[in-house]
Amino acid sequence: MRRKSTGPSSNDGEDRISRLPNALIHHILSFMDMKYVVQTSVLSKRWIDVWTTMSTLNFNSYQFLTRENGVSEIQIGSFANFINEIFILRGDSSINKFHVDWNEETHKPRTHTIPISNHMNTWIIAAVRHAVQDLSVQIRSRASMILRLPHCLLNSQSLTKLVLKHQPNYTKISLPNSMSLPRLKLLSLSMFYVEEVKLLNELISSCPVLESLILANISVGMGDDVNLNIESRDLKHFYLHSKGRGINHPRHTMAKVIKLSTPNLTSLICHDYMIQEYFLENLSSLVTAKIKMTKENDRDLSYGDELSYLERSEEEKEDLYPKRMMKMLRALHNMEKLTLSASFVQVLSKAPGLTQCQPPQFHSLQWLKLTTCLTRGCLAAITYLLKISPKLESLILMSKERRIADVDDDWEARLSLPCTLSHLKFVEIQQLQGCNNEFKFVEFLRKNGAVLEEMVLWFRFSKRS
């Protein structure tokens, strides 16, 4: 039986949140947009000046979305003025995070506004003067612009995280001649064009303690030296995405050669075209790799004379690409988890001498995911990968093609894998079609998986007419 309280109740109007220390209130407000943070000043006298000492400043132009006569419009001018007033009124307290999300893409303004580039440097300089540590700028606009990064930003002594992203079109980014970021641990650049690749190399080398590097659809100007060199002892995570944007640009593409020497790298994600040449050195600490290399088609290679080094005949590609994929695999020999795309597996199957017995190379590989199809050629590639992975415990296959040609009768003889599947415990095959060769391969795994504990099969269901 509950006993009614006769003393002061919890709903007697006591404002417990206002009694919290400023540090805790600041932490709670750090998850909110600054428009709502400022609005807390009307709650009581206790809250009037709380927002002025916030060290986390989040600004999203979507919060200035209005609807008039059924038309949605972001008040870009009001948004920019709001940020300016925040910097004027907040005082001299330091800034930990400064994040801006500027959107002119989804809701285009009906009236002319001052370009974002005219505002951005002012805000960046103000943030750097307040010893900002985490700075993120994301711009959604189809307007062409040049983003001239101020010298103070790329020579900041306090910055630990820098994220710059523009979409959906490329924006030219102008880098200063001298750069030094002694505390930067994360650098992320997306959808930018850098005129000189040497400046991009200098930017990366100016970050001696860099741990995470993200380069998404970065293009560089053509010249005698278009090599991207990434040499870092502290780099642990590297993400490179060059597909779909840079390769078919008429004036620029990614670097001619990408060199990676990172002895402490633990994760590598690479989405690129096979026409791109890679030199992967000293990846002794690599744990996880996701490689999605794609063969470009004819319309991807509409270059001018200055890009003629990328133009190759189909005969050259048939000989070159398998060797490049094999070379990339050899550089990843220490990893524990590997994901490969369908194009990678298909091209790998054409490597010379692939079906010959070779000594194990992936001594640490325990988890393997392949997007592929069980054709004769792809089976050869899968066989090779199983042969060089003696400690493999988990295998995940995703069928890529809807129509799979039958393999010949002696396919199982070529899949002879003595002692190779001695550690395989889990198999999952997705998007099966019910073809004979699929079932033959499943049966092969079942017979040869000495310690196989679980096999999961997912079938592709046809749509009803």
Side-chain angles (χ1 to χ4, degrees), residues 238-256:
F238 180 46
Y239 172 85
L240 177 69
H241 190 291
S242 298
K243 290 178 59 180
R245 292 289 183 178
I247 194 71
N248 57 1
H249 196 282
R251 290 181 294 117
H252 46 75
T253 181
M254 193 50 177
K256 179 180 179 181

Side-chain angles (χ1 to χ4, degrees), residues 1-130:
M1 181 176 179
R2 293 185 178 179
R3 184 177 180 180
K4 294 183 179 180
S5 174
T6 58
S9 64
S10 59
N11 58 354
D12 60 357
E14 180 183 4
D15 185 0
R16 294 186 177 182
I17 295 182
S18 295
R19 294 176 58 184
L20 295 174
N22 273 2
L24 186 52
I25 292 178
H26 285 167
H27 178 70
I28 296 173
L29 297 180
S30 67
F31 299 97
M32 300 169 55
D33 188 271
M34 279 303 295
K35 181 176 181 180
Y36 299 111
V37 173
V38 172
Q39 290 176 354
T40 63
S41 63
V42 303
L43 295 177
S44 68
K45 292 182 179 180
R46 167 72 172 84
W47 289 83
I48 291 179
D49 297 324
V50 169
W51 69 270
T52 62
T53 54
M54 285 286 297
S55 62
T56 297
L57 308 181
N58 296 313
F59 301 96
N60 192 323
S61 63
Y62 191 80
Q63 302 303 331
F64 288 78
L65 177 66
T66 62
R67 290 184 64 86
E68 183 178 348
N69 298 325
V71 178
S72 298
E73 178 183 355
I74 291 180
Q75 301 294 331
I76 296 297
S78 299
F79 176 62
N81 290 336
F82 176 71
I83 299 178
N84 293 335
E85 291 178 2
I86 292 296
F87 275 111
I88 294 173
L89 300 175
R90 69 178 303 277
D92 295 328
S93 57
S94 61
I95 296 176
N96 181 29
K97 295 182 180 180
F98 177 67
H99 290 191
V100 177
D101 193 332
W102 178 288
N103 189 348
E104 292 182 3
E105 172 62 19
T106 305
H107 306 279
K108 298 180 181 179
R110 290 174 293 175
T111 58
H112 176 72
T113 59
I114 299 176
I116 176 62
S117 55
N118 290 19
H119 295 286
M120 196 56 64
N121 275 7
T122 301
W123 301 335
I124 289 175
I125 293 172
V128 171
R129 288 177 177 174
H130 287 80

